[in-house]
Amino acid sequence: METEDNGLLLQVFSSVFEEFAFMFVEEDPFPEPSETSYCPCLLAEISFKSKDKHGFLEVVAPVSVCAELAENILGTDQQELPEQAEEQALTEVLNVSCGHFLAEKFGTEEVFDLSIPEIRPVSQKQWAALIEDGAHACMRVDESPLLVRFVLQQ
Amino acid sequence: MGYNVLIVDNSMIIRKMVAKTLSISDLDIGEYHFAENGKVALEQLDANWIDIVFADINMPEMNGIEMIEEMNRRELLATTPVVVISTERSRQRIEALKAMGVRAYLQKPFVPEEFARVVKELLH
């Protein structure tokens, strides 16, 4: 991932979190593995393709952040959230962010097809590996980490 | 009698969000119908009188473009107004949607006031 992409990812995710759910995303220096404790997380991924480009965008967020996203989007309490609201909130934020990011990075002349986002839980071992490899842009939403990775495969 | 609406999106969050936005607007909404893809939406359109359709593009099984193409092929559905609510930013694709008869296009995440304004213009 190019360094300049990190700034654009921060800009896009900040804007989408704020507009969708009135939540605020800030840049965060990548944590040392020893500084990061595991909390239950979800990883959502969406792929894209155009005539001559393809790749994917992924986001990793604590379940607690996903729940807050869902609560704010729906304007409801956690006890009243429908089943899978956390997963759907994160995939929708990723879907919207991907559309915005591609338009900002490549302009609006290029036509991209997006996949249906996929989502899965992240185990403690996987979380440690994500922190260890340092391939993601690290952000912070409220006091929780948010990892984002954009991969372009030309 | 209020307007019957059909909200088509594979995301339950967005279906609920659109319904909530309509419910807090001063629009006179009758029945709410929901579908998670274009195929289910066509079944809903066959079974119910719908005054306006709100649809996403990127959906499994039958996407929004395929659904609109099918609506255009059916005489009874061809004039039903469709508002697309999507993440799509491509100028070419947005123009193609308008050429297919899509009455309005809103980008996600939409602002409730803008959403209500667009819908009022279409229904009044």
Side-chain angles (χ1 to χ4, degrees), chain B residues 7-107:
Chain B
I7 302 165
V8 192
D9 199 305
N10 59 311
S11 166
M12 166 271 295
I13 288 269
I14 295 295
R15 294 197 299 270
K16 283 184 177 287
M17 189 180 169
V18 172
K20 187 157 193 170
T21 304
L22 286 166
S23 72
I24 59 173
S25 72
D26 55 359
L27 291 159
D28 184 13
I29 303 298
E31 297 170 9
Y32 290 88
H33 298 271
F34 300 94
E36 64 270 29
N37 60 48
K39 191 179 170 196
V40 178
L42 290 170
E43 290 166 8
Q44 293 275 13
L45 284 159
D46 283 338
N48 303 284
W49 176 264
I50 302 292
D51 295 294
I52 187 165
V53 177
F54 300 95
D56 187 16
I57 294 297
N58 191 24
M59 296 180 288
E61 200 152 356
M62 180 187 273
N63 67 34
I65 292 174
E66 292 164 332
M67 180 197 78
I68 295 162
E69 284 171 345
E70 184 57 32
M71 286 176 70
N72 286 341
R73 278 193 283 271
R74 300 189 192 181
E75 199 181 344
L76 281 173
L77 299 181
T79 55
T80 305
V82 178
V83 176
V84 168
I85 306 171
S86 170
T87 60
E88 186 62 62
R89 291 281 196 100
S90 150
R91 193 181 54 80
Q92 192 180 321
R93 194 163 272 163
I94 293 170
E95 281 173 8
L97 287 169
K98 287 180 180 164
M100 290 169 72
V102 167
R103 301 284 289 278
Y105 176 78
L106 290 165
Q107 268 174 7

